[in-house]
Amino acid sequence: MNQQISITKSIIKTGILSVMVIISLFMFGCQGNVPTDQNFRTGFLDVAVSTEGTNKIYQEDQFDLMVLIHNQLGYDIKNVAVSLVGLDEAFIEVYSPQKTIDTLEGRSNLFETGEEERLLFETYIKSLPPGIIGEVRNLYRVFVKYNSEIILTEDVCIRPGLYTGVDDGGCKAGENAQKDPLQEGKNTLSGQGAPVGFSEAEVISKVGSEVELRLKLVDQGRGNDGKVGTVTLIEAALGGKNLNCEFRKAGGAGKQVMFDSSETEVSLVCRGALGRESSYSYVTPLTIKLQYDYEFSIQEELFILN
């Protein structure tokens, strides 16, 4: 009898231990997928691109040139095109100088690193002309084009025009707010997790139930090696009500704007009716969504050896 009880206790202990081991393994395996509360849609960020492997190659040989592209933005990038430009055709034959990717996922609380992909460019290194001693150096560039978006989300302090400048306590940030709301006048913004973004927002409350917002959109990407192209306004709303917004620059205004080669900033002016009438200040949410296309390049080099 005692022997049976001992065997039963042993079985129970073994079962409990097995369950604990399984639970521990499950929890350990899930740690890598635990969401964070980091905000990836802030600051001015760039897509990263680089080449991998050796850059010293021999003549009369096949050479696979590997390009790594890594989406470090807070948004997906789409219609990605990667091209090799400047490789000397007298020495190097590139079978397909352009590769495309439909979508690369951006950084988020569920995917902190962002997606990366390696593209293989197959080439053939031709024979060097007679009389060349040493090596031949070839500078070239890797061009990247893509489409993406930016989303501005801020809380805005609305002060009825009659009481502009009077603090009645209605625009204090709540306990769970990540930052203070935009105030009457000019406010500095820190970008929205992309190479192009808003750097300034001016709030102008008017008498009655209207408001005007003047925002500065800037390209702070790779300087001379990167350039935003066309930017399109997709939506804009304040307190759930649509805003009437237009880009302003010399030569006209509209829902779409093209950055000239020398331009690094444009203005977006929004006007609209407030979602409610009030004699006191209050906080209401602002959302603006834009789509844009971007192009940049990096310089690389290859050395062809005898």
Side-chain angles (χ1 to χ4, degrees):
M1 184 66 176
N2 291 336
Q3 185 177 5
Q4 290 179 346
I5 293 174
S6 178
I7 293 173
T8 301
K9 289 183 177 179
S10 178
I11 292 173
I12 292 174
K13 289 181 179 178
T14 302
I16 293 173
L17 181 60
S18 298
V19 171
M20 291 178 65
V21 170
I22 292 172
I23 293 174
S24 298
L25 290 173
F26 177 78
M27 293 180 65
F28 178 77
C30 291
Q31 283 180 352
N33 296 321
V34 175
T36 69
D37 58 358
Q38 183 176 349
N39 182 13
F40 294 101
R41 293 184 172 181
T42 186
F44 290 93
L45 305 175
D46 280 307
V47 172
V49 65
S50 60
T51 58
E52 296 184 332
T54 183
N55 66 346
K56 296 182 181 293
I57 49 183
Y58 287 95
Q59 62 179 326
E60 298 181 356
D61 197 6
Q62 297 285 340
F63 174 64
D64 292 335
L65 197 160
M66 189 73 72
V67 175
L68 170 66
I69 180 168
H70 183 190
N71 184 7
Q72 299 179 334
L73 309 185
Y75 311 84
D76 296 350
I77 59 174
K78 301 179 180 181
N79 304 316
V80 185
V82 182
S83 306
L84 304 181
V85 177
L87 289 172
D88 194 334
E89 296 180 357
F91 303 128
I92 305 171
E93 180 182 358
V94 184
Y95 298 131
S96 179
Q98 178 173 291
K99 304 286 185 180
T100 59
I101 306 169
D102 290 336
T103 302
L104 276 181
E105 188 175 344
R107 302 172 69 195
S108 67
N109 289 333
L110 294 176
F111 191 16
E112 295 185 31
T113 60
E115 188 175 4
E116 62 180 36
E117 187 163 332
R118 288 171 171 81
L119 301 174
L120 181 66
F121 291 84
E122 297 179 315
T123 73
Y124 178 73
I125 311 305
K126 302 176 183 179
S127 298
L128 295 178
I132 292 183
I133 300 175
E135 60 190 21
V136 173
R137 182 185 183 219
N138 187 175
L139 294 176
Y140 68 98
R141 301 194 75 86
V142 180
F143 278 85
V144 179
K145 296 181 181 180
Y146 64 86
N147 305 125
S148 191
E149 65 182 9
I150 62 169
I151 301 175
L152 172 69
T153 55
E154 297 281 348
D155 286 332
V156 180
C157 172
I158 298 299
R159 300 183 188 275
L162 185 61
Y163 300 101
T164 297
V166 177
D167 185 4
D168 57 18
C171 283
K172 303 298 183 184
E175 293 182 1
N176 297 323
Q178 298 294 321
K179 52 187 175 180
D180 291 334
L182 303 182
Q183 300 291 328
E184 181 81 16
K186 293 186 177 181
N187 301 263
T188 300
L189 303 176
S190 58
Q192 291 75 47
V196 57
F198 293 105
S199 65
E200 184 180 283
E202 183 177 2
V203 181
I204 304 174
S205 297
K206 298 186 176 182
V207 176
S209 58
E210 294 186 356
V211 67
E212 180 175 312
L213 300 169
R214 300 175 183 177
L215 301 106
K216 183 183 296 184
L217 182 69
V218 299
D219 177 5
Q220 290 203 357
R222 297 170 177 267
N224 294 331
D225 294 326
K227 188 66 179 173
V228 63
T230 301
V231 181
T232 304
L233 175 67
I234 303 302
E235 62 180 84
L238 180 67
K241 294 180 69 70
N242 291 335
L243 291 170
N244 181 21
C245 301
E246 288 186 329
F247 291 105
R248 299 290 180 87
K249 59 176 292 186
K255 306 293 184 184
Q256 190 176 78
V257 66
M258 170 74 78
F259 274 70
D260 296 333
S261 58
S262 59
E263 283 183 317
T264 58
E265 65 180 57
V266 296
S267 296
L268 178 68
V269 178
C270 299
R271 297 187 178 96
L274 300 175
R276 62 173 177 166
E277 294 187 11
S278 174
S279 299
Y280 302 95
S281 60
Y282 63 93
V283 174
T284 192
L286 168 68
T287 301
I288 298 178
K289 180 178 180 180
L290 308 177
Q291 288 183 347
Y292 68 95
D293 56 76
Y294 207 84
E295 178 179 5
F296 70 92
S297 67
I298 62 168
Q299 181 173 281
E300 295 289 336
E301 60 183 358
L302 285 176
F303 295 91
I304 304 174
L305 311 177
N306 276 310

